């Protein structure tokens, strides 16, 4: 199977489950469950959740469709601070809800040779995950590294077991198939793909219940 067929097969598989659940819930309601107001309400709430999952999947899929993945990238010098601002503004509401403090420590003028939209996407996905997988009141930090082109995103979150680390970059992979809101298992596969296009590397250090650090190194 080529890469494109592979993506289509995986996507169909992932879309099928929430759809089957919604169908079952609606069929049950039409078959008479609607007469029991309390049960009906529960079913509608479950259907609403499944629809939310479908929405998340479709939104994320827009950035992994094969046609878009392989387009040529145009690199330019991008200020890391600007890409971080984009991620911080985009995740402000989520961080506020969870009372998570997001800080940056970036060397003056630190820049990376990258496609600006794709660099924004990488940092956004990493920061969003850091917030999502950190308990309320925790901390997230984005910092420039010592080497040119390197930076890291650190959180005080739930951490990732060593055995899971190689798997989290696979499409649709979620540790324990977690049910976190907005979790589709696509974010890190998008990150990995963009970094591959830039010949950049990503490494993860993590301790369960303490936190994780994702380090990115662009060629300088
Ligand atoms: P998503 O977050 O949409 O599920 P990702 O591909 O971004 O998908 O991440 C894959 C899985 O890796 C997540 O479901 C989660 O289990 C785990 N993960 C990612 N980032 C972190 C993090 N900062 N801390 C703990 N677990 C994480």
């Amino acid at each position: 199977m080529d890469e494109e067929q592979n993506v289509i097969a995986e996507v169909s598989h992932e879309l099928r489950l929430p759809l089957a659940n919604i169908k079952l819930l609606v069929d049950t309601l039409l078959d008479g469950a609607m007469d029991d107001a309390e049960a009906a309400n529960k079913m509608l709430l479950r259907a609403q959740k499944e629809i939310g999952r479908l929405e998340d999947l479709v939104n994320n899929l827009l950035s992994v469709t094969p046609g878009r993945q392989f387009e040529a990238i145009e690199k330019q010098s991008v200020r890391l601070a600007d890409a971080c601002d984009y991620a911080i503004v985009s995740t402000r509401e989520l961080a506020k809800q969870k009372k998570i403090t997001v800080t940056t420590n970036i060397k003056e003028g630190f820049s990376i040779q990258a496609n600006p939209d794709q660099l924004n996407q990488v940092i956004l996905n990493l920061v969003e995950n850091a917030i999502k997988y950190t308990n309320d009141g925790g901390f997230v930090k984005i910092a420039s590294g010592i080497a040119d082109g390197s930076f890291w995103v650190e959180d005080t979150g739930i951490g990732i077991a060593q055995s899971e680390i190689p798997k989290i970059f696979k499409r649709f992979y979620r540790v324990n198939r977690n049910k976190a809101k907005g979790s589709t298992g696509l974010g890190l596969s998008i990150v990995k793909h963009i970094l591959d296009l830039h010949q950049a590397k990503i490494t993860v250090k993590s301790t369960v219940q303490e936190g994780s650090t994702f380090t990115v190194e662009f060629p300088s």
Side-chain angles (χ1 to χ4, degrees), residues 129 132-133 155 160 168 173-175 178 183-185 187-188:
N129 279 351
K132 259 183 349 197
Y133 302 112
D155 65 59
I160 308 159
I168 57 176
Y173 190 80
R174 294 174 285 152
V175 176
N178 77 60
S183 172
T184 58
L188 288 177

Side-chain angles (χ1 to χ4, degrees), residues 60 125-126 129-134 155 157-160 168-170 173-176 178 182-189 206 212 214:
N60 271 331
N125 288 7
L126 294 177
N129 279 351
I131 299 172
K132 259 183 349 197
Y133 302 112
T134 293
D155 65 59
I158 60 173
I160 308 159
I168 57 176
F169 294 97
K170 296 200 173 111
Y173 190 80
R174 294 174 285 152
V175 176
N176 302 325
N178 77 60
S183 172
T184 58
L186 282 170
L188 288 177
S189 68
S206 187
S212 311
F214 286 75

